[in-house]
Amino acid sequence: MNIFRFLGDMSHILSFVILLLKITQGKSAAGISLRTQELYMIVFCSRYLDLFWNFSSLYNSFLKVVFIACSSAIVYIIRFKSPQKDTWNPELDNFPIQYLIGPCAVAGLLINQDWTPFEMIWAFSIYLEAVAILPQLFLLQKQGEVENLTSHYVAALGAYRGLYLMNWVYRYFTEDDYLQRIVWFAGTVQTGLYIDFFYHYYQSKRGGLSRPVKLP
Amino acid sequence: CTALESKDEL
């Protein structure tokens, strides 16, 4: 464990807290992509299958349960709970996620760390997480302006993987046999997708944290 | 170490 990874996990937890607060207190899922939340639920449920046999630390196991529970709760609330479900707009949030899931599944089958079913599913979840934010970014692009809490949610989510990148660099230089090309590649792509958002987020928040983010 | 043991991150 190192500070970058710890801050990355805290930033990830913060993104869940912000989103759960927004949809439960704000009673609205406007501006939030259900498609992205469904992808995250698939990512965590598939990646953390090893919860039952790969016990590397209590910290890991606890957060795996938290991430599966939170992502499932978010999908449930936006899909089934009133009044949130009425604030989700399927016409706007219509990114074809099958074009993300399909290629990631093929990539997971072909490029993984070991030829066991779990490793293929694990690699699939890593690739899928890298592109899971796309429906959300497309929704924000369509709306042009990003509501305040949503912008903090996306920023925390981007920061989490950005901090993980620093964690991988740190581990690469401090540990001798540390090699994780799959997560390095996917994590770089994932963080790269946020660059544009971060630029607009920084520009808008310079004048005050509660200003909405404007996307071109 | 095996691929499984190397999975110590979330």
Side-chain angles (χ1 to χ4, degrees):
Chain A
M1 174 60 80
N2 60 66
I3 185 65
F4 301 113
R5 185 178 146 207
F6 180 71
L7 290 178
D9 289 336
M10 292 308 112
S11 183
H12 199 182
I13 292 170
L14 179 64
S15 73
F16 277 116
V17 168
I18 293 172
L19 184 53
L20 277 166
L21 276 179
K22 173 181 168 59
I23 61 176
T24 53
Q25 306 308 315
K27 296 252 179 287
S28 164
I32 298 298
S33 166
L34 173 63
R35 296 280 173 260
T36 283
Q37 300 311 317
E38 288 167 341
L39 290 176
Y40 280 134
M41 189 172 82
I42 296 170
V43 166
F44 297 129
C45 291
S46 54
R47 184 178 308 171
Y48 300 149
L49 287 174
D50 66 343
L51 186 63
F52 305 107
W53 71 83
N54 183 18
F55 187 84
S56 70
S57 70
L58 193 62
Y59 172 88
N60 264 19
S61 298
F62 172 68
L63 285 184
K64 286 179 181 179
V65 172
V66 166
F67 290 171
I68 290 174
C70 287
S71 56
S72 308
I74 288 164
V75 168
Y76 171 77
I77 291 171
I78 299 180
R79 246 197 195 285
F80 303 111
K81 210 159 171 306
S82 286
Q84 288 83 352
K85 72 176 169 55
D86 310 317
T87 61
W88 174 59
N89 183 339
E91 277 77 43
L92 268 179
D93 183 18
N94 59 358
F95 191 97
I97 57 175
Q98 63 274 18
Y99 298 150
L100 297 177
I101 296 174
C104 289
V106 170
L109 274 173
L110 300 177
I111 309 164
N112 49 64
Q113 284 177 330
D114 197 346
W115 300 97
T116 63
F118 170 67
E119 287 299 327
M120 293 177 182
I121 293 172
W122 181 83
F124 158 70
S125 83
I126 295 289
Y127 301 134
L128 189 62
E129 185 187 2
V131 294
I133 194 65
L134 281 173
Q136 179 65 63
L137 293 179
F138 270 64
L139 182 61
L140 297 181
Q141 202 70 38
K142 277 184 188 172
Q143 291 177 322
E145 184 170 296
V146 187
E147 186 272 330
N148 188 38
L149 262 183
T150 307
S151 66
H152 296 316
Y153 163 68
V154 176
L157 213 46
Y160 134 68
R161 216 57 179 171
L163 285 159
Y164 256 74
L165 282 181
M166 297 175 199
N167 150 61
W168 294 326
V169 170
Y170 177 84
R171 291 189 69 176
Y172 181 78
F173 289 109
T174 54
E175 297 174 25
D176 45 9
D177 66 344
Y178 178 67
L179 206 58
Q180 285 283 351
R181 290 196 191 86
I182 289 181
V183 292
W184 294 347
F185 167 72
T188 306
V189 168
Q190 182 168 341
T191 307
L193 293 176
Y194 287 83
I195 301 290
D196 174 57
F197 174 83
F198 275 139
Y199 170 74
H200 294 295
Y201 179 78
Y202 171 71
Q203 292 299 335
S204 69
K205 297 308 178 190
R206 273 196 319 186
L209 259 187
S210 59
R211 283 175 53 198
V213 174
K214 292 207 177 351
L215 295 176
Chain B
C1 62
T2 68
L4 191 66
E5 284 154 6
S6 69
K7 289 184 177 39
D8 61 352
E9 293 184 348
L10 288 167

